[in-house]
Amino acid sequence: MNVSSRARIGLAVGLAGLLLLGVIIVSPMMMMPGMPSFIGNSTTTDCEDDAQVEDVSDSGSSDIPPDLLELYKKHGKKIGVQWNILAAVGKRETDHGRSNLQGVKSGTNYAGAAGPMQFLISTWGGKARIPIPSKFNGYASDGDDDGIADVYNPADAILGAARMLKRNGAPENVRRALFVYNRAWWYVDQVEAIAKKYAKSGEVKLPPQADPQCDEPLVQAAPTDVVAKILSYALDQRGKPYLWGGTGPDAFDCSGIIFMAYRSVGLTIPRTTFGQWPFGIKIEKGSEQPGDLVFFNAGPGTGPDNPGHVGMVVSKGKMIEARCRLCGPIKVTSYQTRDTLMGFTRPLQNPAVLDQLKKQENAAL
């Protein structure tokens, strides 16, 4: 998706030594590859989802308005972005909307930025207030379900910011995502410092599903040895970049990583998402298991029964996916909150695959 350029200008406001700055936001299309990952220094790993919930520090509790803290946590969890990074952006941009600078509560500053998270109107979607649902190109979001994506509404703006950060590499490569949010490393460093102060641990933690230490339980829980080998191959590709049409070994697209994971165990399935969707046996939601495929009504050429994106289930609610060029590296993510989810299939139940498995068994005798 092409996103218009975003620009802000730094403004120094002396208030008890606090810097309240508007910032220069640039196009996500200008993202620089290979930026360093931003990972906390925790020496232990908890692979449960609850490990993603970072407690707020005393300084965070005293500085962040309670209603906004709830929004940062709610939308951070929904989208899969560290809440303290969202809160730090909100602080760095407008002091959580408390700034009285032009463009925070109405209008725009002279660079065109608006709202508590300082979106360019063009980046938001072309207008400050957009009915939902409607067609637009941008990050406009309805965070309070009132039917309007309002750039001045904190609930909407925070959800939009979470979506932008997620698209550009968060939570694993949050420094790159912040660099896209504002093309300046001093800005990234300042947001990082604020985010650490807001977290009780003093860190910006990596989500547990992105930690290699969590791979072993995923593989061990696989229903069959074949699925375990498929998962092992797919998980080994994590951290590699997305490449349209890519089938490795250095980069993959969404269907390419799945095609090669099955191929790694001697099984042939269709190469593309469009071919993989009708190939597997349809599985009811809630019955999916590791190795199954999960499809989404997203991407070019998509339609109600023509998905444009696919991931592989690695555990209930989690998938590994190569999402897009600007979405960060191949990683394990949640599929439960995706509103474009279309359905699940099980390629291992396709008659042609069953025949391939039978031939492998006979050859091993």
Side-chain angles (χ1 to χ4, degrees), residues 8 11 42 52 60 90-92 96 133 155-156 164 176 215 239 248 269 280-281 309 319 338 351-352 357 359:
R8 305 188 199 97
L11 299 172
S42 175
Q52 298 183 59
K91 176 67 174 181
R92 181 61 183 73
H96 305 300
D156 298 349
M164 183 175 182
R176 179 174 62 181
D215 289 354
I269 67 172
I281 302 301
H309 182 59
M319 65 178 172
R338 300 275 184 92
L357 289 170
K359 290 179 178 177

Side-chain angles (χ1 to χ4, degrees), residues 248-264:
D250 298 322
F252 298 82
D253 66 9
C254 65
S255 57
I257 185 174
I258 292 168
F259 173 76
M260 293 303 295
Y262 275 79
R263 185 174 176 179
S264 72

Side-chain angles (χ1 to χ4, degrees), residues 94-106:
T94 65
D95 192 22
H96 305 300
R98 291 179 291 219
S99 171
N100 291 318
L101 295 175
Q102 178 67 26
V104 176
K105 298 179 176 65
S106 64

Side-chain angles (χ1 to χ4, degrees), residues 41-222:
N41 296 319
S42 175
T43 57
T44 60
T45 301
D46 184 345
C47 296
E48 298 300 322
D49 286 346
D50 288 345
Q52 298 183 59
V53 180
E54 174 67 74
D55 290 333
V56 63
S57 66
D58 291 341
S59 62
S61 295
S62 63
D63 186 47
I64 306 171
D67 56 337
L68 265 66
L69 177 59
E70 182 179 349
L71 290 172
Y72 293 133
K73 288 186 173 182
K74 174 184 176 182
H75 293 317
K77 181 178 180 180
K78 177 180 180 180
I79 301 302
V81 174
Q82 296 94 332
W83 73 262
N84 50 327
I85 285 291
L86 278 175
V89 171
K91 176 67 174 181
R92 181 61 183 73
E93 298 294 348
T94 65
D95 192 22
H96 305 300
R98 291 179 291 219
S99 171
N100 291 318
L101 295 175
Q102 178 67 26
V104 176
K105 298 179 176 65
S106 64
T108 63
N109 64 18
Y110 73 87
M117 304 301 276
Q118 291 289 277
F119 276 93
L120 265 186
I121 296 301
S122 57
T123 305
W124 183 250
K127 297 186 295 183
R129 296 176 177 87
I130 300 175
I132 299 295
S134 62
K135 292 184 177 180
F136 58 89
N137 183 21
Y139 291 98
S141 303
D142 182 11
D144 58 1
D145 298 320
D146 66 352
I148 299 293
D150 184 349
V151 74
Y152 304 105
N153 181 335
D156 298 349
I158 290 169
L159 178 57
R163 291 176 58 226
M164 183 175 182
L165 290 168
K166 178 74 172 182
R167 179 174 179 82
N168 291 296
E172 289 86 355
N173 203 341
V174 74
R175 281 185 64 87
R176 179 174 62 181
L178 289 170
F179 186 82
V180 174
Y181 204 92
N182 174 36
R183 196 183 177 90
W185 286 113
W186 54 261
Y187 173 85
V188 174
D189 292 339
Q190 289 179 6
V191 172
E192 172 185 344
I194 296 169
K196 288 182 176 181
K197 290 179 181 178
Y198 281 166
K200 190 172 183 179
S201 68
E203 301 175 6
V204 177
K205 292 185 176 180
L206 187 71
Q209 69 267 27
D211 194 313
Q213 295 182 54
C214 296
D215 289 354
E216 186 174 354
L218 292 176
V219 174
Q220 289 179 343

Side-chain angles (χ1 to χ4, degrees), residues 217-283:
L218 292 176
V219 174
Q220 289 179 343
T224 68
D225 289 342
V226 170
V227 173
K229 293 176 182 178
I230 291 171
L231 291 187
S232 293
Y233 179 93
L235 291 167
D236 283 346
Q237 312 315 310
R238 192 174 54 195
K240 295 181 180 180
Y242 175 93
L243 176 66
W244 188 83
T247 55
D250 298 322
F252 298 82
D253 66 9
C254 65
S255 57
I257 185 174
I258 292 168
F259 173 76
M260 293 303 295
Y262 275 79
R263 185 174 176 179
S264 72
V265 295
L267 299 177
T268 300
I269 67 172
R271 160 66 186 88
T272 68
T273 304
F274 303 130
Q276 290 171 1
W277 170 242
F279 183 78
I281 302 301
K282 298 295 188 297
I283 301 296

